[in-house]
Amino acid sequence: MVQKAKILLVDDRPENLLALEAILSALDQTLVRASSGEEALKALLTDDFAVILLDVQMPGMDGFETAAHIKRRERTRDIPIIFLTAINHGPHHTFRGYAAGAVDYISKPFDPWVLRAKVSVFVELYMKNCQLREQAALLRLQLEGGGGKAAAGDAKEPAGLLAELSARLAAVEEQAEALSKQLDDESADAAAVATAAHLERKLTGLRRALDALEPGTGTGAPSVPSQN
């Protein structure tokens, strides 16, 4: 079963959280509520999220301050943040949102379809990254196991394990390529395009490492690409 991605919804008004849940429920992912910046930071200590929808105007710790804390933490600094605001103070206010680390800045009332489409892009990128990490973990097990030796009777031979890894990686590569084409066609946000390009670079590195394991391609164990 494919694990669902988690989406963090941060707003001090329950009716706004309810509206966001209604809009994003069609994505069939796990929606997590936070009614304050402090509550959001607490949730981020233990869970991994695909994207954060963050209200700007909140009592106490506002959206800008919350985003600054998120970007300072190594664990959470790469999570995309979409700012939501009911006010518009012009370009300076918008610039402050992007300077705080947001990938998008949307004024209320917003188009539900547009918001859902933007969130779905980051969810899909997150899922592809999760698949890539799984392939890298399998490759590390292969390298650390000295050629894939395992318990007798039910373990795959090295060649069989390599073939399975290659097939799984090929599926992720195909999906990533389709996603990149979709982003190009839809003139998506620059941040989403950059994230997709980063994913493709990591896929290329993993493919090279797998190719180096094939018989006759070399003697030394290749390095596994970093997941950062």
Side-chain angles (χ1 to χ4, degrees):
M1 179 180 295
V2 177
Q3 187 174 0
K4 294 183 179 181
K6 292 183 178 180
I7 302 170
L8 183 58
L9 313 176
V10 189
D11 199 303
D12 62 298
R13 295 179 177 273
E15 62 271 24
N16 290 345
L17 291 172
L18 187 63
L20 288 174
E21 288 176 337
I23 293 170
L24 300 176
S25 61
L27 298 179
D28 193 27
Q29 304 300 325
T30 301
L31 306 177
V32 179
R33 283 188 175 200
S35 58
S36 66
E38 292 85 355
E39 190 175 337
L41 294 176
K42 184 177 180 180
L44 288 162
L45 287 173
T46 54
D47 290 327
D48 294 324
F49 291 91
V51 61
I52 301 170
L53 273 64
L54 180 58
D55 183 43
V56 172
Q57 299 296 119
M58 294 188 295
M61 183 184 296
D62 66 12
F64 296 128
E65 187 178 354
T66 303
H69 282 288
I70 293 171
K71 293 303 177 181
R72 280 199 292 265
R73 293 178 179 177
E74 183 176 357
R75 174 187 172 92
T76 59
R77 63 187 179 191
D78 293 327
I79 302 176
I81 298 174
I82 298 177
F83 270 138
L84 305 175
T85 179
I87 59 176
N88 187 0
H89 291 309
H92 177 73
H93 199 259
T94 302
F95 175 78
R96 187 182 175 192
Y98 287 117
V103 298
D104 210 338
Y105 195 98
I106 302 177
S107 297
K108 304 174 185 176
F110 44 78
D111 186 324
W113 187 92
V114 170
L115 179 64
R116 187 163 53 242
K118 289 177 179 290
V119 171
S120 69
V121 169
F122 290 106
V123 168
E124 194 165 355
L125 287 170
Y126 173 81
M127 299 299 285
K128 297 298 181 294
N129 271 294
C130 288
Q131 289 179 292
L132 180 57
R133 285 195 293 269
E134 291 175 1
Q135 310 313 316
L138 286 173
L139 180 55
R140 287 192 181 95
L141 288 175
Q142 165 70 11
L143 295 174
E144 294 169 0
K149 295 179 181 178
D154 59 357
K156 291 183 174 65
E157 292 296 327
L161 181 57
L162 283 176
E164 180 178 339
L165 282 169
S166 182
R168 291 187 181 186
L169 180 57
V172 179
E173 288 171 331
E174 183 179 349
Q175 293 170 349
E177 182 180 358
L179 178 59
S180 295
K181 290 181 179 178
Q182 178 184 353
L183 290 175
D184 291 339
D185 292 342
E186 295 178 354
S187 300
D189 298 328
V193 174
T195 303
H198 180 56
L199 173 62
E200 287 192 334
R201 287 194 297 271
K202 291 195 290 184
L203 284 169
T204 299
L206 188 54
R207 171 58 68 187
R208 288 173 179 168
L210 266 178
D211 290 343
L213 286 174
E214 293 293 336
T217 57
T219 56
S223 61
V224 179
S226 169
Q227 294 307 297
N228 296 325

